[in-house]
Amino acid sequence: MGGEGGEGGPKGPEPRVVYVLKRIATLLGIRLEKWDKFLAAFQADEPSTRALCRFLDESQDCPFCFIFPSGDAVTANCSDLPTTAQMKKKVIVMHRLQPEIEISKDNMHEAIVFVEITKNVMDLLNMYCQSVYLSTLMNPANQRGWSDLIAKDLMDKYHVFLAQLHVTVGLMK
């Protein structure tokens, strides 16, 4: 992460880490005047720093990294899924779009996707599936080139999926 610079003075955090932390700060609504405190708190948390560096450096072993807000700082974790208690707040997931790509400061915009997950993630999934994907799949212009059998079979299976998703969402409430 940080280290000793070539001229003997301390070097600031790596640009990739600064980029990720600025994105996270934006997603968490951390104001600009609290940025230095946020950065210092993250750098002081050694396990989180190692987890983020592992995500950025190890393409095959660490395809995702979970970020959990905790007070004025955040905790990063590459190995464990979020607990129920952590899911009560917002969780940010960083995911590599392609596992074999090395993440550099030049390709970070294309190599990483940030996803916010909240406690109502299943409600959001249900809403997206009902409104966005269903309307896209049912649009006759999008079904051009499909046989009637394929279109009917796909839509039947998608409606079964939607019904199961609706039941799951209802059971979670």
Side-chain angles (χ1 to χ4, degrees), residues 20-129:
V20 167
L21 291 177
K22 282 187 177 182
R23 291 290 306 267
I24 292 168
T26 301
L27 291 171
L28 295 175
I30 296 173
R31 294 186 304 272
L32 189 57
E33 58 268 11
K34 292 189 175 188
W35 165 250
D36 291 332
K37 184 178 177 182
F38 174 74
L39 180 61
F42 184 81
Q43 289 177 318
D45 184 6
E46 188 66 30
S48 292
T49 304
R50 274 185 302 203
L52 180 58
C53 289
R54 182 176 167 221
F55 171 77
L56 293 172
D57 295 333
E58 298 177 18
S59 61
Q60 297 299 321
D61 296 334
C62 192
F64 59 85
C65 184
F66 293 103
I67 307 292
F68 315 105
S70 54
D72 290 337
V74 294
T75 303
N77 186 344
C78 287
S79 56
D80 299 325
L81 293 173
T83 64
T84 306
Q86 290 167 326
M87 285 297 294
K88 291 188 189 258
K89 297 180 180 179
K90 183 187 296 189
V91 174
I92 299 170
V93 181
M94 291 186 305
H95 182 65
R96 289 176 176 269
L97 291 177
Q98 296 177 334
E100 66 277 357
I101 299 290
E102 181 178 330
I103 297 174
S104 69
K105 67 179 183 174
D106 298 324
N107 73 350
M108 290 193 74
H109 299 287
E110 297 88 25
I112 301 173
V113 65
F114 291 81
V115 179
E116 288 182 65
I117 299 177
T118 59
K119 64 182 177 181
N120 63 347
V121 68
M122 294 302 287
D123 290 328
L124 292 173
L125 178 64
N126 189 27
M127 182 184 69
Y128 288 140
C129 288

